[in-house]
Amino acid sequence: MITRRKRDEPLLEDSKEFAHQRALMVDRHVASRGITDARVLAAMREVPRHLFVPAVVASKAHGPSALPIGFRQTISQPYIVARMIELLDLTGSEKVLEIGTGTGYQAVVLSRLAAKVFSIERVNELALRAVEIVRALRIHNVSVKVFDGTYGWSDQAPFDRIIVAAAAPEVPEPLVQQLARNGRMIIPIGPEGNQRLARVSRVGTRTQIEDCGTAEFVPLVGRFGWKE
Ligand code: SAH
């Protein structure tokens, strides 16, 4: 079984074996846990997750768990990526803002399901690595910038969808402001050990919040997040 990327292997190395492992990952850890959106399942079968995971944990790239990516951060487990994206209800035409690029994996899955993805990461090294993979995969509808994502990306607002991959103390006000009419945002809220996934919908001038179950994310650190 080929599970480890060797240092001298080209970045784009993919194979039938990896495709097979992804199919198993989607069946066992995503579809069997209740994700039914066929577009989300197809995107996760296609995006080469092993390229985004650091070499030391590459053997676990297609497993059920979150994995360390350095800088005390993690790449979310496949089920959570699928669940958050499913809750976004993407049709293919949306402009999406992601906060917390991390490895870039979720941004690339999103890039197959939406028109444009703008992703913000606060750790420079993670953003650089993510951009390198996005370029190597020749993906042209993902833009990454290094910034405090709790401010959003005002030049590009409004966004049809916003997805936050780190947990905030409360919904950051700038993100609500940058949500389009009829837009939706998925964001984990709460302190470590006690987080809930929230779906914020903008209906005209009102916002509505729905509870979507428990969550376990790293903290969203920033001006409208947790303080360092
Ligand atoms: N979506 C990522 C995983 C994200 S982990 C993936 O697919 O790999 C959460 C990320 O949020 C971390 O990389 C962390 O550095 C980042 N983060 C935390 N607070 C942030 C902020 N205020 N702005 C931007 N990124 C932030």
Side-chain angles (χ1 to χ4, degrees):
M1 197 165 59
I2 313 161
T3 48
R4 189 173 291 270
R5 172 154 60 97
K6 296 197 195 81
R7 255 174 197 285
D8 53 358
E9 264 174 359
L11 181 60
L12 289 175
E13 179 72 14
D14 197 9
S15 66
K16 276 193 182 158
E17 177 57 31
F18 285 124
H20 176 62
Q21 289 187 32
R22 287 197 295 277
L24 289 179
M25 172 188 89
V26 169
D27 288 353
R28 289 180 188 161
H29 310 313
V30 182
S32 70
R33 291 183 60 186
I35 304 298
T36 54
D37 186 324
R39 293 180 71 234
V40 176
L41 299 176
M44 291 184 69
R45 279 190 203 100
E46 286 161 16
V47 176
R49 184 168 161 97
H50 66 282
L51 296 180
F52 295 86
V53 166
V56 281
V57 287
S59 63
K60 296 183 183 155
H62 305 100
S65 333
L67 298 171
I69 59 172
F71 308 93
R72 288 182 295 136
Q73 306 303 325
T74 54
I75 177 172
S76 304
Q77 49 166 297
Y79 170 74
I80 290 297
V81 173
R83 167 94 175 124
M84 299 213 7
I85 297 180
E86 187 175 62
L87 286 167
L88 281 182
D89 253 333
L90 294 166
T91 63
S93 61
E94 295 84 2
K95 187 172 178 182
V96 179
L97 174 66
E98 178 193 49
I99 314 298
T101 316
T103 62
Y105 172 72
Q106 180 169 274
V108 170
V109 175
L110 287 166
S111 77
R112 306 186 82 100
L113 301 167
K116 279 191 172 173
V117 180
F118 295 86
S119 184
I120 311 178
E121 171 56 54
R122 68 189 283 272
V123 178
N124 192 36
E125 290 86 344
L126 288 175
L128 288 174
R129 213 184 288 161
V131 165
E132 195 189 333
I133 304 178
V134 166
R135 286 217 184 107
L137 290 172
R138 294 194 165 70
I139 290 163
H140 302 296
N141 61 342
V142 173
S143 308
V144 176
K145 82 168 174 180
V146 178
F147 201 62
D148 172 0
T150 66
Y151 286 97
W153 193 323
S154 53
D155 303 1
Q156 292 293 343
F159 296 96
D160 303 305
R161 303 288 187 266
I162 299 179
I163 181 166
V164 185
E170 58 194 9
V171 183
E173 191 51 33
L175 300 186
V176 177
Q177 295 305 327
Q178 292 177 28
L179 200 56
R181 270 167 186 259
N182 302 316
R184 287 181 161 193
M185 165 166 33
I186 307 295
I187 178 170
I189 302 284
E192 222 179 319
N194 186 21
Q195 298 170 4
R196 309 287 304 177
L197 199 56
R199 176 154 72 176
V200 181
S201 308
R202 190 154 183 176
V203 191
T205 51
R206 287 186 320 122
T207 48
Q208 198 173 286
I209 299 199
E210 237 175 290
D211 178 63
C212 300
T214 59
E216 209 178 313
F217 284 82
V218 295
L220 182 76
V221 177
R223 170 70 178 79
F224 299 92
W226 303 98
K227 303 296 169 259
E228 277 186 82

